[in-house]
């Protein structure tokens, strides 16, 4: 039985209302964690700065794909247009910044390039988002169990609010079932899961998580991104999805400049840690360039 098409999350989440002319941050969110995870950022922004999260999971064709095998009946361009319609309905003409986390950054960048020139923001802030360039568009079989299990452990820890620290050497070269046993042991040791959690239940959660990743990977694979017409600001997590990759592939898409900043936390906890939110808040607030944090130029 297919899930009900009205069972998914809402698209628009107003986490902070704009006031005092400070403008609004619009953040494209791809799900995985609930949109409310961005409340930490809302609290870090100056009083009177709005934060509205635009959740891709509010679109059934996107959301249901994570529950039905990871194949979405939509495209990056269609998602960008849908989010653009929501943005147009919400925009009050005041100052604004556009940002996107993870796959949400891909959609946000597509959205900017589909906007009329006069409506584009002065910059786009990408939160640990991997660029949709040929070097980074991978077939499904490139996402091997050790990589996926490491990402899943980060996700599980963020979702449960407890550390799930798995030694990467335990995952290297192994299969999914052995890897999940190591994840379960680490989750129990860190208090993220009860010690008696059934392996089958963890496997179900893992499969849904992987289907969400495959959905995003399959949406990105055929997509050809246009070079950005606005400067790009990239915030990578200390424990990014691709550790050691400083620009996550955005250089070729940034002819007008790429700023690179580093945030505490991992790909998921960067959204809920107050110290990470403080870094991100300085970069996303609708403000003059002189008020932004120092950056490394690429």
């Amino acid at each position: 039985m297919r899930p009900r098409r009205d069972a998914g999350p809402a698209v628009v989440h107003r986490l902070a209302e704009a006031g005092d002319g400070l403008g609004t941050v619009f953040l494209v969110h791809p799900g995985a964690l609930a949109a409310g995870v961005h409340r930490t950022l809302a609290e870090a922004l100056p009083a009177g700065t709005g934060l509205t999260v635009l959740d891709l999971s509010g679109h059934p064709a996107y959301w249901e794909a994570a529950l039905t095998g990871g194949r979405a009946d939509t495209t990056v361009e269609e998602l960008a247009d849908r989010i653009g319609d929501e943005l147009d309905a919400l925009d009050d003409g005041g100052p604004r910044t556009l940002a996107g986390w993870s796959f949400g950054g891909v959609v946000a960048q597509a959205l900017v390039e589909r906007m009329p020139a006069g409506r584009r923001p002065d910059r786009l802030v990408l939160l640990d988002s991997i660029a949709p360039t040929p070097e980074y568009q991978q077939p499904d079989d490139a996402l091997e169990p050790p990589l996926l299990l490491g990402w899943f452990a980060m996700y599980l820890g963020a979702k449960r609010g407890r550390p799930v620290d798995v030694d990467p050497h335990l995952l290297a070269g192994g299969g999914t079932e052995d890897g999940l046993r190591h994840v379960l042991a680490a989750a129990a040791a860190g208090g993220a899961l009860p010690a008696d959690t059934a392996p089958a239940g963890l496997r179900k959660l893992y499969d849904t998580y992987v289907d969400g990743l495959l959905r995003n990977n399959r949406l990105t694979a055929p997509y050809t991104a246009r070079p950005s017409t606005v400067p790009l600001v990239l915030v990578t997590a200390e424990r990014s999805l691709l550790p050691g990759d400083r620009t996550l592939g955005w250089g070729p898409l940034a002819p007008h400049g790429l700023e690179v900043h580093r945030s505490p936390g991992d790909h998921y906890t960067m959204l809920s840690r107050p110290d990470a939110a403080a870094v991100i808040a300085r970069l996303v607030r609708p403000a003059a360039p002189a008020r932004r944090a120092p950056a490394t130029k690429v």
Side-chain angles (χ1 to χ4, degrees), residues 270-284:
M270 70 184 296
L271 305 180
S272 58
R273 289 177 52 146
D275 53 354
V279 172
I280 296 168
R282 291 195 298 269
L283 300 168
V284 299

Side-chain angles (χ1 to χ4, degrees), residues 244-281:
D245 191 323
R246 182 168 167 272
T247 66
L248 299 181
W250 286 101
L253 294 177
H256 295 279
L258 175 65
E259 296 181 4
V260 181
H261 301 258
R262 180 58 63 91
S263 159
D266 64 36
H267 180 70
Y268 298 97
T269 60
M270 70 184 296
L271 305 180
S272 58
R273 289 177 52 146
D275 53 354
V279 172
I280 296 168

Side-chain angles (χ1 to χ4, degrees), residues 35-289:
V37 73
H38 297 288
R39 291 191 186 281
T40 307
L41 174 59
E43 294 168 358
L45 290 167
T49 302
L51 175 62
T52 295
V53 176
L54 302 170
D55 191 347
L56 296 175
S57 296
H59 298 298
Y62 180 82
W63 175 70
E64 290 178 5
L67 307 177
T68 56
R71 297 192 181 278
D73 185 22
T74 188
T75 65
V76 170
E77 294 91 340
E78 289 174 355
L79 289 170
D81 287 342
R82 294 289 299 276
I83 291 296
D85 290 343
E86 301 286 354
L87 185 60
D88 287 344
L90 294 166
D91 192 4
D92 62 2
R96 67 178 183 181
T97 301
L98 186 63
W101 171 62
S102 195
F103 177 71
V106 174
V107 175
Q109 198 267 339
L111 169 58
V112 170
E113 298 314 309
R114 297 168 79 80
M115 289 178 173
R119 298 276 293 160
R120 292 172 187 156
D122 65 347
R123 68 195 187 279
L124 172 64
V125 182
L126 303 159
L127 305 180
D128 214 45
S129 178
I130 299 173
T133 55
E135 294 78 11
Y136 289 76
Q137 290 167 324
Q138 301 293 328
D140 288 354
D141 57 12
L143 302 176
E144 297 180 343
L147 181 69
L148 294 173
L149 288 160
W151 292 354
F152 176 65
M154 287 194 291
Y155 160 76
L156 183 61
K159 191 172 181 65
R160 297 287 180 169
R162 295 287 189 275
V164 180
D165 296 324
V166 184
D167 185 342
H169 294 95
L170 296 176
L171 304 178
T176 299
E177 296 304 328
D178 286 343
L180 283 174
R181 282 194 283 272
H182 293 305
V183 171
L184 180 54
L193 290 175
D196 60 353
T197 298
L202 185 64
R203 178 60 194 253
K204 184 177 180 181
L205 180 61
Y206 173 78
D207 287 343
T208 299
Y209 172 78
V210 171
D211 280 349
L213 292 177
L214 291 175
R215 169 199 59 199
N216 296 345
N217 195 55
R218 291 163 181 166
L219 285 168
T220 303
Y223 171 60
T224 300
R226 304 174 190 170
S228 179
T229 54
V230 303
L232 300 180
V233 179
L234 174 66
V235 186
T236 60
E238 288 179 349
R239 291 183 61 205
S240 176
L241 291 184
L242 300 177
D245 191 323
R246 182 168 167 272
T247 66
L248 299 181
W250 286 101
L253 294 177
H256 295 279
L258 175 65
E259 296 181 4
V260 181
H261 301 258
R262 180 58 63 91
S263 159
D266 64 36
H267 180 70
Y268 298 97
T269 60
M270 70 184 296
L271 305 180
S272 58
R273 289 177 52 146
D275 53 354
V279 172
I280 296 168
R282 291 195 298 269
L283 300 168
V284 299
R285 58 195 288 186

